Amino acid sequence: MSADPQLEAFCAFFKILDKSCTKRIYKFYTPDVVFQDALHRIEGAESLERYFSSLYSNVTACHFVFHERQRNGQEAFTTWTLHLEHPRLNKGRVVEVEGCSHLRFADDGSGRVAHHRDYFDAGALLYERLPLLGGAIRLVKRQLDA
């Protein structure tokens, strides 16, 4: 199967997404996009741009490494690893989280995404990295593993 140029362009954008280029999302998302992850549901490209701008404002470093990609018609899936450095998470050290994105491209042939849903372990990204809550979550996980 050959690489899909629209899906590859989308992944390339996320490889470089940071606070300096959030305004470029309008090239990759429809005006009425719905974005959803384990923590948020956002409707509209303007709201999504504000969300990304706010999200990246305190991030030290962030990048995605994309793995498998598949597209069938307007539906696409990609797996990825997020590498995130934030001063208030994991003592500022890199956090790595595996995830998957389900994308639905617009029917208009523009190559822009109309629906974006991310699946990842919010605990591994956020809750386990917080000073007090993280210790409690790790304790519960160890007990469940026993």
Side-chain angles (χ1 to χ4, degrees):
M1 180 182 340
S2 63
D4 179 84
Q6 294 171 338
L7 181 56
E8 292 304 314
F10 184 86
C11 292
F13 169 66
F14 265 86
K15 286 181 182 179
I16 62 162
L17 181 62
D18 65 18
K19 59 187 161 197
S20 71
C21 62
T22 59
K23 297 229 181 271
R24 291 186 57 217
I25 71 156
Y26 300 99
K27 179 179 176 184
F28 296 96
Y29 288 104
T30 61
D32 61 346
V33 66
V34 174
F35 174 89
Q36 191 170 358
D37 65 18
L39 305 168
H40 301 92
R41 178 182 168 89
I42 296 157
E43 297 184 20
E46 288 180 8
S47 296
L48 185 57
E49 194 271 326
R50 283 192 304 273
Y51 168 69
F52 282 153
S53 182
S54 173
L55 183 70
Y56 284 94
S57 67
N58 294 317
V59 167
T60 305
C62 177
H63 74 276
F64 289 84
V65 175
F66 289 90
H67 309 293
E68 300 297 320
R69 301 163 185 70
Q70 294 185 11
R71 182 168 177 183
N72 185 11
Q74 300 308 87
E75 304 288 322
F77 291 89
T78 182
T79 59
W80 42 261
T81 304
L82 166 66
H83 302 264
L84 176 70
E85 286 181 55
H86 190 288
R88 293 176 17 204
L89 293 177
N90 201 33
K91 299 179 182 175
R93 296 186 309 255
V94 175
V95 175
E96 292 184 10
V97 176
E98 302 287 326
C100 175
S101 294
H102 173 215
L103 307 171
R104 187 174 316 118
F105 287 89
D107 291 328
D108 63 6
S110 66
R112 294 186 297 171
V113 172
H115 187 268
H116 178 167
R117 175 91 189 248
D118 281 344
Y119 298 91
F120 61 89
D121 182 351
L125 174 64
L126 181 61
Y127 307 129
E128 292 177 31
R129 310 299 176 178
L130 298 173
L132 296 175
L133 187 57
I137 290 174
R138 288 188 297 275
L139 177 64
V140 168
K141 281 179 122 178
R142 280 194 301 270
Q143 289 178 349
L144 291 173
D145 288 340

